[in-house]
Amino acid sequence: MSISRNPNIHFCMLPQKRSIFLVLFLFLCFSHLSCSRKTNQDTIPQFPTETFKDSIRKMKSSDFATLFVGEYLEDSIKVKHSLDYIRNSMLSSQDLSTQYWGNYALAYWYNYKQDIEETINYANKLYEIAQTLGNEELKLSALINKGIFFYDQGKYKESMECYLQAIQIAKKGEDIGRQLAISHNIALLKIEVNDYQGAVDLLQGTLHIIEQDSPKRFNILEVSIYIALTKSYVRLENYVEAIHNANEGIKLSDQYNDEGAKAYLYNFLGETNIALQKYDKATMYLEKAHNYAIKIKAARSQIPFINLNKAKVLYYTEDYATAIQLLKSIEKGQERQKTNFFSLEDMYEFLGKSYKAIKNTGESLLYFEKTNEVYTQNDKEQNEIGLEIIKKYDLQSLKDELSRAEKKTQKTRTLLYVSIFLALAIIAGILYFYKKREKENQKKFTALLQSLEEEKEKRKVVVVDEIPKEKITKAPKLAEKTTKVTTSKEVEIIDETKAKLLKKLEKFEDKELFLSKNSSLNEVAKKLKTNTSYLSKLINAHKGKSFTVYITDLRVDYAIRRLKEDKKFRSYTIDSIAREIGFNRSESFSRAFKNKTGLYPSYYIKKLDSQNIE
């Protein structure tokens, strides 16, 4: 899911012109130019060409470039005349400032066209001109924009490097607004590599500074932070905080007249209610989100993501035909625009599941294969930045603090040396810990393989505890004979019912029905034709665990066996594996796997591959 809002608004380009700089900036999915773009009417009768050309020649170069990015990009007639003006006049101007804004406009034009090579080419020219001018503000602007371009194209490592350079310039110039905007951007990068808690911590710190600011100067950024916080909490499955932050963001969007933000916030509320299985409520929020996305031009990139969530609701409410129709329209728009976004994997997955539900095996297999391809590509793009790049920002922040401390008293300098010594000691401790943990993990892995081999040899799955015949045939001696007979019959009926249900539970396990996402206590009780209370008590008594733990353990045991035996299955992403065996989130699967085996599934897979186990 994308939150395609420009986090810099008036901080990165033209201070005090936030209303006209509306470049869209995505999460999970890159490219604020998603498949929802609509081209304005190209066939406007008698377009006033000369009047338009004259008007742009009279504008300040910075005003024209900002207007070009904010409004002209989606109007092919205005774009054509604007590009002619940029290339024939602005780039050849003797005024370096005019050249700067010409290159700025072209950088955004090529970013719009998804041409990363040309985009970065013009972004580099921006920085070169700013250096020649000796203008720190323009240098800062060039770096931030370059970071945005790299982010849009999924080049996370390069994006982070640009932000790290930019934040140093912003700190040197004591530009608090841009420092806050860059912190927000870095939080978005943390989200992209699944460091959701790290993103929350950074966003909350940034929000605290904004809330202390007086007078209020960073209104639009404040709303954007609430959008990012909502996104992070949804991914952390902390739906209480997700709903709270979404509602806070909606209040602020009303207060600051930022209507476009509501398309994002209502969409997240829709996604949250889908996770909570409140489909009517989800539909209500998604309709609101769609209305705002249609109404507000800057929010239209959200339309495919809103439609994706609508399709999920249709799938869960078993309207498979309509779900397929909506998902295919998203796919068609994506192919037309040649864009990619992280939520695309959900689009393919739900197409595969919908076709499977209507028993169209061919289409189902096709889209499940596409799902795997996109998962693999997304993993590759996410891993490009790497945890070490994210930590680089945190290390840079620590370095800055230590540098400031070094300028203080001798006592502070001594404290600095002690801090460095402690830091080195901590690093050494961490290295020792990791080596020790690796040894422990190896032992756990070996023990896990050994248990699988033992299970394979036995080939006996003990599911149902045999009920001793003594319990059926023998009844306690009571005072009266009639009472004795009645009690014996009651025991026999109860035991027969229990035995039948245990047998059904054995078949439930043998057929691997626990892999279905519809394996709640209520759904399983229906399948086994019993009530939830009795089923829960039976599992507690005979399995020694709650129903939830019982289902989770079955799924994890299945994953352990299949990962060892199926090399292709190991090539899937963790998220894909999790979803295939019934988990809604990869985080839930990883946590359950770790609790049961002491290992994360990624480590288990890596060790299996390293030993070439098939």
Side-chain angles (χ1 to χ4, degrees), residues 3 5 27 184 188 191 203-204 206-208 210-211 216 218-234 241-253 255-256 258 261 264-265 268:
I3 57 167
R5 285 169 59 83
F27 274 135
H184 172 269
L188 300 188
I191 291 173
L203 289 165
Q204 286 179 337
T206 307
L207 185 61
H208 177 73
I210 290 174
E211 289 173 342
K216 294 285 186 180
F218 314 119
N219 298 344
I220 301 300
L221 179 60
E222 186 176 6
V223 177
S224 292
I225 288 174
Y226 274 107
I227 294 174
L229 278 170
T230 304
K231 167 78 171 182
S232 300
Y233 281 120
V234 169
E241 282 297 326
I243 292 169
H244 168 74
N245 280 276
N247 288 329
E248 287 298 310
I250 290 167
K251 287 179 188 175
L252 283 178
S253 67
Q255 184 179 338
Y256 301 147
D258 185 3
Y264 307 91
L265 293 163
F268 282 128

Side-chain angles (χ1 to χ4, degrees), residues 555-569:
R555 289 170 174 172
V556 171
D557 287 340
Y558 172 86
I560 292 169
R561 290 193 302 273
R562 187 172 171 191
L563 286 169
K564 180 177 181 293
E565 297 166 1
D566 187 346
K567 192 171 184 179
K568 185 177 180 181
F569 191 55

Side-chain angles (χ1 to χ4, degrees), residues 486-500:
T486 303
T487 305
S488 178
K489 285 183 178 179
E490 287 176 354
V491 171
E492 187 173 349
I493 290 169
I494 292 170
D495 286 342
E496 285 179 359
T497 302
K498 185 188 297 181
K500 286 179 181 179

Side-chain angles (χ1 to χ4, degrees), residues 60-66 68-69 82-83 85-93 95-110 122-123 125-126 129:
K60 286 177 59 178
S61 58
S62 57
D63 290 346
F64 162 73
T66 307
F68 176 83
V69 171
S82 295
L83 290 175
Y85 171 63
I86 293 167
R87 288 166 176 152
N88 298 329
S89 298
M90 296 183 75
L91 296 189
S92 59
S93 172
D95 179 40
L96 286 178
S97 179
T98 301
Q99 287 186 35
Y100 179 93
W101 292 108
N103 282 282
Y104 162 78
L106 286 178
Y108 270 101
W109 166 247
Y110 282 107
Y122 284 105
K125 289 179 181 178
L126 281 180
I129 294 171

